[in-house]
Amino acid sequence: MSPEEMANLHLICMPEYSSWTAKYYGELLRSKNHIFEISKAGFGCARLIENEAEILILLVHPNFQKSGYAHSILHNLHTKLVNLKCDKIFLEVAELNIAAVSYTHLRAHETPEHRGWRRLREKKKGGGGGGGGGGGG
């Protein structure tokens, strides 16, 4: 997926965030501390600093949502980060991000050694939390 295709997918999935341009995606792809997992339906990106990573974005084209692509992208990104000796992985999302991956979905990736997936905002009433990235599925 080219930087232009990434920026176009970003506009489709999250039109309110138009600052993620093709130029910006090109810079991220060339960066040594940004790790991507790309599929035909979407992509995920994490920023790696020493042994910690933050999932920055997870996008799946609306035509492919609810087909397991987000799960696969997230799983493969997690595997890449673990292979790079990352022992903490963070994901934060807005509470109102209804397109986000569910808290339960993220817990499926959690192992005793990598509890970082749970740095999610919990709802004030103690219920589950939101998920991550826009346009997951």
Side-chain angles (χ1 to χ4, degrees):
M1 187 175 285
S2 71
E4 291 77 17
E5 291 169 317
M6 290 175 154
N8 287 337
L9 180 58
H10 199 130
L11 283 174
I12 291 168
C13 295
M14 300 178 71
E16 65 277 14
Y17 294 101
S18 60
S19 62
W20 290 62
T21 63
K23 180 181 177 186
Y24 184 62
Y25 274 114
E27 291 169 4
L28 292 178
L29 284 165
R30 288 186 298 276
S31 168
K32 292 182 181 184
N33 68 325
H34 287 83
I35 310 302
F36 279 84
E37 176 60 28
I38 300 171
S39 80
K40 70 176 186 177
F43 64 93
C45 174
R47 177 177 40 224
L48 180 64
I49 300 175
E50 296 181 13
N51 66 332
E52 295 185 359
E54 177 184 10
I55 306 292
L56 299 176
I57 194 151
L58 173 63
L59 295 174
V60 173
H61 191 282
N63 292 345
F64 295 98
Q65 291 177 11
K66 308 284 185 210
S67 299
Y69 285 100
H71 176 86
S72 177
I73 292 168
L74 191 59
H75 174 79
N76 292 340
L77 188 57
H78 176 261
T79 299
K80 286 180 179 181
L81 294 168
V82 170
N83 288 340
L84 291 169
K85 307 299 183 211
C86 181
D87 61 8
K88 292 182 183 176
I89 303 169
F90 301 96
L91 174 62
E92 293 185 44
V93 297
E95 284 183 35
L96 300 177
N97 187 347
I98 58 172
V101 180
S102 71
Y103 180 76
T104 303
H105 184 84
L106 289 173
R107 292 287 305 256
H109 296 280
E110 190 176 62
T111 65
E113 297 81 27
H114 301 97
R115 297 271 182 220
W117 289 117
R118 269 201 282 151
R119 187 176 179 241
L120 302 174
R121 284 183 139 170
E122 295 288 336
K123 292 186 178 179
K124 290 181 182 178
K125 294 186 179 181

